[in-house]
Amino acid sequence: MSNLVNDTDLTSSLDCPVVEGKRQVQHVAPRTADVGGIPVNRVLPSRQRRLIGAWCFLDHAGPAVFKGDSRGLRVGPHPHIGLQTFTWMIEGEVLHRDSLGNEQVIRPGQVNLMTAGRGISHTEESVPGETHLHAAQLWIALPEAQRRTDPRFDHYPQLPQWREEAFELTLLTGEFAGHRAPTLAFSPLVGLDLLATSAGSLTLPLREDFEYGLLSLEDELIIEGERFGANELAYLGRGRNQVALELPEGGRAILVGGEPLGEEILIWWNFVGHSRAEIIEAQNDWEAGSERFGSIPEFQGERLMPPPLPWRN
């Protein structure tokens, strides 16, 4: 990511206003980006909303169909610090490689979670012959105390699943409705996938101390009578103990939430830091080919390089 985000005020806009006794829902429009040759819709971070709990980045990739001689997704070696990359695969298969030597194909219904900590690099590419891709790709900011933790990679082929009314629910991380996901987390979080097997409505219980967002991944989403288009983020804020939603048949949405991080973070390119000095150091190390980020010799292609830093270094 090539833009800079500085979260200097993390408390003033966590609660959506109440109008005539009804708590409002914020509409956050997506912007388009290109990741590895695949168009994506990005809703976090934006000028309207920078964080939801520790979730600091949310791309909706696809649904995409590759035609002709397209090789699908292909993201060359690039570094990360201070975050976890979180991939929820809906359709298609993608190969992850990293500088720790991990190689893992992620398939529909699975989560790949890479903890960057003090530094790691990785690649992502569609497996040979794959013609589809549909995924949600997110980042989770590590709290300051854990920002330099050892890098690691975790793959979750099985996650808690259950049915409620016309919905199939998959718990991606955290705890929800008596279910607990095995996914590694460094702060209180929740991630939930909702798929409507037929048109229907559902009321979800929420924690009042968490802030939440809902993103429609397929078809429109109706929240308490208010319509949201596909790829439009609905920011619910804090202070809710439930939310009512409706989806058409085949509709899909993802709920993300968490305890407000309460810390200032910076996002620049593929780095998340708690100071400019951290990011400057990481970029200089990557550009110099430092051993800090290792290498991925199995990938045939060039390393990705960042744009110039916005600060003097």
Side-chain angles (χ1 to χ4, degrees):
M1 188 179 66
S2 62
N3 61 314
L4 170 69
V5 178
N6 183 1
D7 289 288
T8 56
D9 186 353
L10 301 178
T11 59
S12 64
S13 60
L14 298 179
D15 300 313
C16 293
V18 176
V19 178
E20 297 181 350
K22 180 180 179 181
R23 189 171 296 279
Q24 303 300 294
V25 181
Q26 181 186 18
H27 290 250
V28 179
R31 67 184 191 278
T32 58
D34 181 281
V35 176
I38 304 300
V40 301
N41 287 278
R42 180 167 297 160
V43 292
L44 286 180
S46 74
R47 295 184 182 275
Q48 298 164 282
R49 183 59 46 191
R50 294 173 176 172
L51 290 168
I52 300 178
W55 301 100
C56 63
F57 184 88
L58 173 50
D59 273 0
H60 178 206
V65 178
F66 313 134
K67 299 179 180 179
D69 58 356
S70 171
R71 299 174 66 178
L73 178 72
R74 184 172 168 81
V75 183
H78 61 283
H80 290 290
I81 64 165
L83 58 83
Q84 293 175 291
T85 63
F86 188 107
T87 301
W88 164 236
M89 187 60 62
I90 299 168
E91 187 177 16
E93 296 186 1
V94 169
L95 172 63
H96 161 97
R97 291 190 178 107
D98 63 46
S99 54
L100 300 179
N102 296 297
E103 290 194 14
Q104 178 65 57
V105 173
I106 181 173
R107 298 180 172 88
Q110 301 179 349
V111 162
N112 273 358
L113 181 70
M114 187 181 74
T115 302
R118 64 176 180 270
I120 195 171
S121 61
H122 74 136
T123 65
E124 294 174 291
E125 53 187 324
S126 298
V127 301
E130 179 59 69
T131 58
H132 293 76
L133 176 68
H134 190 194
Q137 295 193 301
L138 305 98
W139 293 356
I140 303 165
L142 291 174
E144 186 171 12
Q146 285 81 37
R147 72 190 190 282
R148 292 187 180 273
T149 192
D150 291 341
R152 60 182 286 174
F153 174 79
D154 295 277
H155 174 67
Y156 299 94
Q158 294 184 319
L159 297 158
Q161 293 184 319
W162 69 99
R163 287 192 63 89
E164 289 189 21
E165 305 296 335
F167 291 77
E168 291 182 354
L169 285 75
T170 304
L171 184 59
L172 310 180
T173 189
E175 299 181 27
F176 193 87
H179 301 269
R180 179 194 294 267
T183 323
L184 175 69
F186 291 84
S187 60
L189 291 173
V190 68
L192 182 70
D193 180 82
L194 305 102
L195 174 63
T197 55
S198 61
S201 60
L202 184 65
T203 298
L204 299 175
L206 302 178
R207 287 179 48 168
E208 293 188 35
D209 59 326
F210 273 27
E211 55 178 330
Y212 293 92
L214 267 165
L215 176 67
S216 177
L217 303 178
E218 295 188 60
D219 292 310
E220 70 175 9
L221 168 67
I222 300 175
I223 300 176
E224 297 175 350
E226 192 169 349
R227 294 181 183 274
F228 290 79
N231 298 307
E232 184 180 20
L233 176 68
Y235 178 70
L236 306 176
R238 296 182 302 184
R240 297 175 183 265
N241 58 23
Q242 64 180 33
V243 63
L245 59 91
E246 301 174 51
L247 282 170
E249 181 177 356
R252 189 171 214 132
I254 185 171
L255 173 77
V256 294
E259 186 178 282
L261 186 61
E263 298 176 0
E264 181 179 343
I265 66 166
L266 292 168
I267 302 176
W268 168 253
W269 194 48
N270 293 305
F271 306 125
V272 170
H274 290 260
S275 70
R276 292 183 179 183
E278 284 182 85
I279 292 177
I280 291 171
E281 178 187 43
Q283 178 146 329
N284 288 342
D285 285 348
W286 177 252
E287 290 176 340
S290 167
E291 293 182 1
R292 173 182 183 179
F293 294 108
S295 63
I296 309 167
E298 298 84 2
F299 183 86
Q300 302 300 310
E302 297 296 320
R303 297 191 312 153
L304 302 185
M305 299 305 290
L309 283 160
W311 317 289
R312 293 183 179 181
N313 58 339

mmCIF file with all atom_site columns, all heavy atoms in Angstrom, residues 168-186:
data_model
loop_
_atom_site.group_PDB
_atom_site.id
_atom_site.type_symbol
_atom_site.label_atom_id
_atom_site.label_alt_id
_atom_site.label_comp_id
_atom_site.label_asym_id
_atom_site.label_entity_id
_atom_site.label_seq_id
_atom_site.pdbx_PDB_ins_code
_atom_site.Cartn_x
_atom_site.Cartn_y
_atom_site.Cartn_z
_atom_site.occupancy
_atom_site.B_iso_or_equiv
_atom_site.pdbx_formal_charge
_atom_site.auth_seq_id
_atom_site.auth_comp_id
_atom_site.auth_asym_id
_atom_site.auth_atom_id
_atom_site.pdbx_PDB_model_num
ATOM 1   N N   . GLU A 1 168 ? -25.408 -19.578 7.032  1.00 0.00 ? 168 GLU A N   1
ATOM 2   C CA  . GLU A 1 168 ? -24.267 -20.386 7.442  1.00 0.00 ? 168 GLU A CA  1
ATOM 3   C C   . GLU A 1 168 ? -23.212 -19.426 7.997  1.00 0.00 ? 168 GLU A C   1
ATOM 4   O O   . GLU A 1 168 ? -22.796 -18.488 7.302  1.00 0.00 ? 168 GLU A O   1
ATOM 5   C CB  . GLU A 1 168 ? -23.683 -21.163 6.260  1.00 0.00 ? 168 GLU A CB  1
ATOM 6   C CG  . GLU A 1 168 ? -24.583 -22.262 5.738  1.00 0.00 ? 168 GLU A CG  1
ATOM 7   C CD  . GLU A 1 168 ? -23.962 -23.044 4.598  1.00 0.00 ? 168 GLU A CD  1
ATOM 8   O OE1 . GLU A 1 168 ? -22.853 -22.651 4.139  1.00 0.00 ? 168 GLU A OE1 1
ATOM 9   O OE2 . GLU A 1 168 ? -24.581 -24.018 4.150  1.00 0.00 ? 168 GLU A OE2 1
ATOM 10  N N   . LEU A 1 169 ? -22.775 -19.645 9.223  1.00 0.00 ? 169 LEU A N   1
ATOM 11  C CA  . LEU A 1 169 ? -21.826 -18.763 9.873  1.00 0.00 ? 169 LEU A CA  1
ATOM 12  C C   . LEU A 1 169 ? -20.501 -19.484 10.073 1.00 0.00 ? 169 LEU A C   1
ATOM 13  O O   . LEU A 1 169 ? -20.471 -20.663 10.443 1.00 0.00 ? 169 LEU A O   1
ATOM 14  C CB  . LEU A 1 169 ? -22.355 -18.284 11.233 1.00 0.00 ? 169 LEU A CB  1
ATOM 15  C CG  . LEU A 1 169 ? -23.450 -17.212 11.205 1.00 0.00 ? 169 LEU A CG  1
ATOM 16  C CD1 . LEU A 1 169 ? -24.793 -17.810 10.801 1.00 0.00 ? 169 LEU A CD1 1
ATOM 17  C CD2 . LEU A 1 169 ? -23.592 -16.548 12.561 1.00 0.00 ? 169 LEU A CD2 1
ATOM 18  N N   . THR A 1 170 ? -19.405 -18.781 9.815  1.00 0.00 ? 170 THR A N   1
ATOM 19  C CA  . THR A 1 170 ? -18.058 -19.296 10.043 1.00 0.00 ? 170 THR A CA  1
ATOM 20  C C   . THR A 1 170 ? -17.309 -18.287 10.901 1.00 0.00 ? 170 THR A C   1
ATOM 21  O O   . THR A 1 170 ? -17.185 -17.122 10.521 1.00 0.00 ? 170 THR A O   1
ATOM 22  C CB  . THR A 1 170 ? -17.292 -19.518 8.729  1.00 0.00 ? 170 THR A CB  1
ATOM 23  O OG1 . THR A 1 170 ? -18.042 -20.394 7.878  1.00 0.00 ? 170 THR A OG1 1
ATOM 24  C CG2 . THR A 1 170 ? -15.927 -20.142 9.007  1.00 0.00 ? 170 THR A CG2 1
ATOM 25  N N   . LEU A 1 171 ? -16.820 -18.745 12.051 1.00 0.00 ? 171 LEU A N   1
ATOM 26  C CA  . LEU A 1 171 ? -16.078 -17.871 12.951 1.00 0.00 ? 171 LEU A CA  1
ATOM 27  C C   . LEU A 1 171 ? -14.608 -17.888 12.553 1.00 0.00 ? 171 LEU A C   1
ATOM 28  O O   . LEU A 1 171 ? -13.936 -18.914 12.640 1.00 0.00 ? 171 LEU A O   1
ATOM 29  C CB  . LEU A 1 171 ? -16.254 -18.319 14.400 1.00 0.00 ? 171 LEU A CB  1
ATOM 30  C CG  . LEU A 1 171 ? -15.605 -17.429 15.452 1.00 0.00 ? 171 LEU A CG  1
ATOM 31  C CD1 . LEU A 1 171 ? -16.139 -16.002 15.387 1.00 0.00 ? 171 LEU A CD1 1
ATOM 32  C CD2 . LEU A 1 171 ? -15.835 -18.016 16.849 1.00 0.00 ? 171 LEU A CD2 1
ATOM 33  N N   . LEU A 1 172 ? -14.109 -16.745 12.111 1.00 0.00 ? 172 LEU A N   1
ATOM 34  C CA  . LEU A 1 172 ? -12.754 -16.650 11.580 1.00 0.00 ? 172 LEU A CA  1
ATOM 35  C C   . LEU A 1 172 ? -11.721 -16.387 12.671 1.00 0.00 ? 172 LEU A C   1
ATOM 36  O O   . LEU A 1 172 ? -10.594 -16.870 12.595 1.00 0.00 ? 172 LEU A O   1
ATOM 37  C CB  . LEU A 1 172 ? -12.675 -15.538 10.526 1.00 0.00 ? 172 LEU A CB  1
ATOM 38  C CG  . LEU A 1 172 ? -13.757 -15.577 9.435  1.00 0.00 ? 172 LEU A CG  1
ATOM 39  C CD1 . LEU A 1 172 ? -13.553 -14.418 8.472  1.00 0.00 ? 172 LEU A CD1 1
ATOM 40  C CD2 . LEU A 1 172 ? -13.746 -16.909 8.710  1.00 0.00 ? 172 LEU A CD2 1
ATOM 41  N N   . THR A 1 173 ? -12.108 -15.612 13.667 1.00 0.00 ? 173 THR A N   1
ATOM 42  C CA  . THR A 1 173 ? -11.222 -15.345 14.797 1.00 0.00 ? 173 THR A CA  1
ATOM 43  C C   . THR A 1 173 ? -12.057 -14.862 15.967 1.00 0.00 ? 173 THR A C   1
ATOM 44  O O   . THR A 1 173 ? -13.149 -14.315 15.784 1.00 0.00 ? 173 THR A O   1
ATOM 45  C CB  . THR A 1 173 ? -10.146 -14.301 14.437 1.00 0.00 ? 173 THR A CB  1
ATOM 46  O OG1 . THR A 1 173 ? -9.182  -14.209 15.490 1.00 0.00 ? 173 THR A OG1 1
ATOM 47  C CG2 . THR A 1 173 ? -10.736 -12.929 14.190 1.00 0.00 ? 173 THR A CG2 1
ATOM 48  N N   . GLY A 1 174 ? -11.546 -15.086 17.176 1.00 0.00 ? 174 GLY A N   1
ATOM 49  C CA  . GLY A 1 174 ? -12.212 -14.600 18.372 1.00 0.00 ? 174 GLY A CA  1
ATOM 50  C C   . GLY A 1 174 ? -13.314 -15.513 18.871 1.00 0.00 ? 174 GLY A C   1
ATOM 51  O O   . GLY A 1 174 ? -13.356 -16.710 18.554 1.00 0.00 ? 174 GLY A O   1
ATOM 52  N N   . GLU A 1 175 ? -14.225 -14.941 19.662 1.00 0.00 ? 175 GLU A N   1
ATOM 53  C CA  . GLU A 1 175 ? -15.351 -15.662 20.239 1.00 0.00 ? 175 GLU A CA  1
ATOM 54  C C   . GLU A 1 175 ? -16.646 -15.007 19.797 1.00 0.00 ? 175 GLU A C   1
ATOM 55  O O   . GLU A 1 175 ? -16.729 -13.777 19.674 1.00 0.00 ? 175 GLU A O   1
ATOM 56  C CB  . GLU A 1 175 ? -15.276 -15.644 21.768 1.00 0.00 ? 175 GLU A CB  1
ATOM 57  C CG  . GLU A 1 175 ? -14.029 -16.305 22.339 1.00 0.00 ? 175 GLU A CG  1
ATOM 58  C CD  . GLU A 1 175 ? -14.006 -16.273 23.852 1.00 0.00 ? 175 GLU A CD  1
ATOM 59  O OE1 . GLU A 1 175 ? -15.097 -16.227 24.455 1.00 0.00 ? 175 GLU A OE1 1
ATOM 60  O OE2 . GLU A 1 175 ? -12.914 -16.281 24.433 1.00 0.00 ? 175 GLU A OE2 1
ATOM 61  N N   . PHE A 1 176 ? -17.665 -15.860 19.564 1.00 0.00 ? 176 PHE A N   1
ATOM 62  C CA  . PHE A 1 176 ? -18.960 -15.333 19.148 1.00 0.00 ? 176 PHE A CA  1
ATOM 63  C C   . PHE A 1 176 ? -20.029 -16.374 19.412 1.00 0.00 ? 176 PHE A C   1
ATOM 64  O O   . PHE A 1 176 ? -19.876 -17.541 19.014 1.00 0.00 ? 176 PHE A O   1
ATOM 65  C CB  . PHE A 1 176 ? -18.957 -14.960 17.659 1.00 0.00 ? 176 PHE A CB  1
ATOM 66  C CG  . PHE A 1 176 ? -20.133 -14.132 17.238 1.00 0.00 ? 176 PHE A CG  1
ATOM 67  C CD1 . PHE A 1 176 ? -20.093 -12.745 17.342 1.00 0.00 ? 176 PHE A CD1 1
ATOM 68  C CD2 . PHE A 1 176 ? -21.289 -14.732 16.760 1.00 0.00 ? 176 PHE A CD2 1
ATOM 69  C CE1 . PHE A 1 176 ? -21.182 -11.972 16.967 1.00 0.00 ? 176 PHE A CE1 1
ATOM 70  C CE2 . PHE A 1 176 ? -22.378 -13.973 16.383 1.00 0.00 ? 176 PHE A CE2 1
ATOM 71  C CZ  . PHE A 1 176 ? -22.331 -12.582 16.487 1.00 0.00 ? 176 PHE A CZ  1
ATOM 72  N N   . ALA A 1 177 ? -21.096 -15.961 20.084 1.00 0.00 ? 177 ALA A N   1
ATOM 73  C CA  . ALA A 1 177 ? -22.276 -16.800 20.303 1.00 0.00 ? 177 ALA A CA  1
ATOM 74  C C   . ALA A 1 177 ? -21.912 -18.177 20.856 1.00 0.00 ? 177 ALA A C   1
ATOM 75  O O   . ALA A 1 177 ? -22.452 -19.195 20.424 1.00 0.00 ? 177 ALA A O   1
ATOM 76  C CB  . ALA A 1 177 ? -23.067 -16.942 19.001 1.00 0.00 ? 177 ALA A CB  1
ATOM 77  N N   . GLY A 1 178 ? -20.986 -18.215 21.799 1.00 0.00 ? 178 GLY A N   1
ATOM 78  C CA  . GLY A 1 178 ? -20.596 -19.469 22.427 1.00 0.00 ? 178 GLY A CA  1
ATOM 79  C C   . GLY A 1 178 ? -19.566 -20.276 21.673 1.00 0.00 ? 178 GLY A C   1
ATOM 80  O O   . GLY A 1 178 ? -19.175 -21.353 22.119 1.00 0.00 ? 178 GLY A O   1
ATOM 81  N N   . HIS A 1 179 ? -19.104 -19.781 20.545 1.00 0.00 ? 179 HIS A N   1
ATOM 82  C CA  . HIS A 1 179 ? -18.077 -20.457 19.746 1.00 0.00 ? 179 HIS A CA  1
ATOM 83  C C   . HIS A 1 179 ? -16.744 -19.726 19.909 1.00 0.00 ? 179 HIS A C   1
ATOM 84  O O   . HIS A 1 179 ? -16.706 -18.514 20.116 1.00 0.00 ? 179 HIS A O   1
ATOM 85  C CB  . HIS A 1 179 ? -18.471 -20.499 18.276 1.00 0.00 ? 179 HIS A CB  1
ATOM 86  C CG  . HIS A 1 179 ? -19.765 -21.196 18.019 1.00 0.00 ? 179 HIS A CG  1
ATOM 87  N ND1 . HIS A 1 179 ? -19.851 -22.548 17.743 1.00 0.00 ? 179 HIS A ND1 1
ATOM 88  C CD2 . HIS A 1 179 ? -21.053 -20.735 17.997 1.00 0.00 ? 179 HIS A CD2 1
ATOM 89  C CE1 . HIS A 1 179 ? -21.119 -22.889 17.564 1.00 0.00 ? 179 HIS A CE1 1
ATOM 90  N NE2 . HIS A 1 179 ? -21.864 -21.804 17.702 1.00 0.00 ? 179 HIS A NE2 1
ATOM 91  N N   . ARG A 1 180 ? -15.663 -20.483 19.756 1.00 0.00 ? 180 ARG A N   1
ATOM 92  C CA  . ARG A 1 180 ? -14.320 -19.908 19.857 1.00 0.00 ? 180 ARG A CA  1
ATOM 93  C C   . ARG A 1 180 ? -13.468 -20.415 18.698 1.00 0.00 ? 180 ARG A C   1
ATOM 94  O O   . ARG A 1 180 ? -13.382 -21.629 18.464 1.00 0.00 ? 180 ARG A O   1
ATOM 95  C CB  . ARG A 1 180 ? -13.658 -20.292 21.184 1.00 0.00 ? 180 ARG A CB  1
ATOM 96  C CG  . ARG A 1 180 ? -12.234 -19.731 21.352 1.00 0.00 ? 180 ARG A CG  1
ATOM 97  C CD  . ARG A 1 180 ? -11.517 -20.420 22.518 1.00 0.00 ? 180 ARG A CD  1
ATOM 98  N NE  . ARG A 1 180 ? -12.139 -20.100 23.772 1.00 0.00 ? 180 ARG A NE  1
ATOM 99  C CZ  . ARG A 1 180 ? -11.755 -19.091 24.569 1.00 0.00 ? 180 ARG A CZ  1
ATOM 100 N NH1 . ARG A 1 180 ? -10.727 -18.324 24.195 1.00 0.00 ? 180 ARG A NH1 1
ATOM 101 N NH2 . ARG A 1 180 ? -12.353 -18.860 25.716 1.00 0.00 ? 180 ARG A NH2 1
ATOM 102 N N   . ALA A 1 181 ? -12.835 -19.491 17.979 1.00 0.00 ? 181 ALA A N   1
ATOM 103 C CA  . ALA A 1 181 ? -11.940 -19.869 16.885 1.00 0.00 ? 181 ALA A CA  1
ATOM 104 C C   . ALA A 1 181 ? -10.535 -20.111 17.425 1.00 0.00 ? 181 ALA A C   1
ATOM 105 O O   . ALA A 1 181 ? -10.131 -19.506 18.419 1.00 0.00 ? 181 ALA A O   1
ATOM 106 C CB  . ALA A 1 181 ? -11.906 -18.768 15.824 1.00 0.00 ? 181 ALA A CB  1
ATOM 107 N N   . PRO A 1 182 ? -9.769  -20.992 16.772 1.00 0.00 ? 182 PRO A N   1
ATOM 108 C CA  . PRO A 1 182 ? -8.405  -21.270 17.234 1.00 0.00 ? 182 PRO A CA  1
ATOM 109 C C   . PRO A 1 182 ? -7.382  -20.236 16.806 1.00 0.00 ? 182 PRO A C   1
ATOM 110 O O   . PRO A 1 182 ? -6.207  -20.330 17.168 1.00 0.00 ? 182 PRO A O   1
ATOM 111 C CB  . PRO A 1 182 ? -8.110  -22.620 16.577 1.00 0.00 ? 182 PRO A CB  1
ATOM 112 C CG  . PRO A 1 182 ? -8.880  -22.582 15.287 1.00 0.00 ? 182 PRO A CG  1
ATOM 113 C CD  . PRO A 1 182 ? -10.149 -21.841 15.619 1.00 0.00 ? 182 PRO A CD  1
ATOM 114 N N   . THR A 1 183 ? -7.814  -19.227 16.061 1.00 0.00 ? 183 THR A N   1
ATOM 115 C CA  . THR A 1 183 ? -6.904  -18.293 15.405 1.00 0.00 ? 183 THR A CA  1
ATOM 116 C C   . THR A 1 183 ? -6.117  -17.452 16.417 1.00 0.00 ? 183 THR A C   1
ATOM 117 O O   . THR A 1 183 ? -6.693  -16.877 17.340 1.00 0.00 ? 183 THR A O   1
ATOM 118 C CB  . THR A 1 183 ? -7.710  -17.364 14.490 1.00 0.00 ? 183 THR A CB  1
ATOM 119 O OG1 . THR A 1 183 ? -8.780  -18.100 13.881 1.00 0.00 ? 183 THR A OG1 1
ATOM 120 C CG2 . THR A 1 183 ? -6.838  -16.789 13.400 1.00 0.00 ? 183 THR A CG2 1
ATOM 121 N N   . LEU A 1 184 ? -4.805  -17.362 16.210 1.00 0.00 ? 184 LEU A N   1
ATOM 122 C CA  . LEU A 1 184 ? -3.931  -16.600 17.083 1.00 0.00 ? 184 LEU A CA  1
ATOM 123 C C   . LEU A 1 184 ? -4.277  -15.115 17.027 1.00 0.00 ? 184 LEU A C   1
ATOM 124 O O   . LEU A 1 184 ? -4.380  -14.531 15.955 1.00 0.00 ? 184 LEU A O   1
ATOM 125 C CB  . LEU A 1 184 ? -2.471  -16.797 16.667 1.00 0.00 ? 184 LEU A CB  1
ATOM 126 C CG  . LEU A 1 184 ? -1.415  -15.973 17.404 1.00 0.00 ? 184 LEU A CG  1
ATOM 127 C CD1 . LEU A 1 184 ? -1.292  -16.440 18.850 1.00 0.00 ? 184 LEU A CD1 1
ATOM 128 C CD2 . LEU A 1 184 ? -0.068  -16.066 16.684 1.00 0.00 ? 184 LEU A CD2 1
ATOM 129 N N   . ALA A 1 185 ? -4.426  -14.486 18.202 1.00 0.00 ? 185 ALA A N   1
ATOM 130 C CA  . ALA A 1 185 ? -4.732  -13.055 18.273 1.00 0.00 ? 185 ALA A CA  1
ATOM 131 C C   . ALA A 1 185 ? -3.954  -12.435 19.417 1.00 0.00 ? 185 ALA A C   1
ATOM 132 O O   . ALA A 1 185 ? -3.719  -13.072 20.446 1.00 0.00 ? 185 ALA A O   1
ATOM 133 C CB  . ALA A 1 185 ? -6.222  -12.823 18.451 1.00 0.00 ? 185 ALA A CB  1
ATOM 134 N N   . PHE A 1 186 ? -3.571  -11.173 19.240 1.00 0.00 ? 186 PHE A N   1
ATOM 135 C CA  . PHE A 1 186 ? -2.809  -10.443 20.239 1.00 0.00 ? 186 PHE A CA  1
ATOM 136 C C   . PHE A 1 186 ? -3.639  -9.355  20.913 1.00 0.00 ? 186 PHE A C   1
ATOM 137 O O   . PHE A 1 186 ? -3.142  -8.655  21.788 1.00 0.00 ? 186 PHE A O   1
ATOM 138 C CB  . PHE A 1 186 ? -1.563  -9.830  19.598 1.00 0.00 ? 186 PHE A CB  1
ATOM 139 C CG  . PHE A 1 186 ? -0.535  -10.850 19.191 1.00 0.00 ? 186 PHE A CG  1
ATOM 140 C CD1 . PHE A 1 186 ? -0.636  -11.509 17.972 1.00 0.00 ? 186 PHE A CD1 1
ATOM 141 C CD2 . PHE A 1 186 ? 0.526   -11.162 20.026 1.00 0.00 ? 186 PHE A CD2 1
ATOM 142 C CE1 . PHE A 1 186 ? 0.306   -12.452 17.589 1.00 0.00 ? 186 PHE A CE1 1
ATOM 143 C CE2 . PHE A 1 186 ? 1.470   -12.112 19.663 1.00 0.00 ? 186 PHE A CE2 1
ATOM 144 C CZ  . PHE A 1 186 ? 1.365   -12.759 18.439 1.00 0.00 ? 186 PHE A CZ  1
#
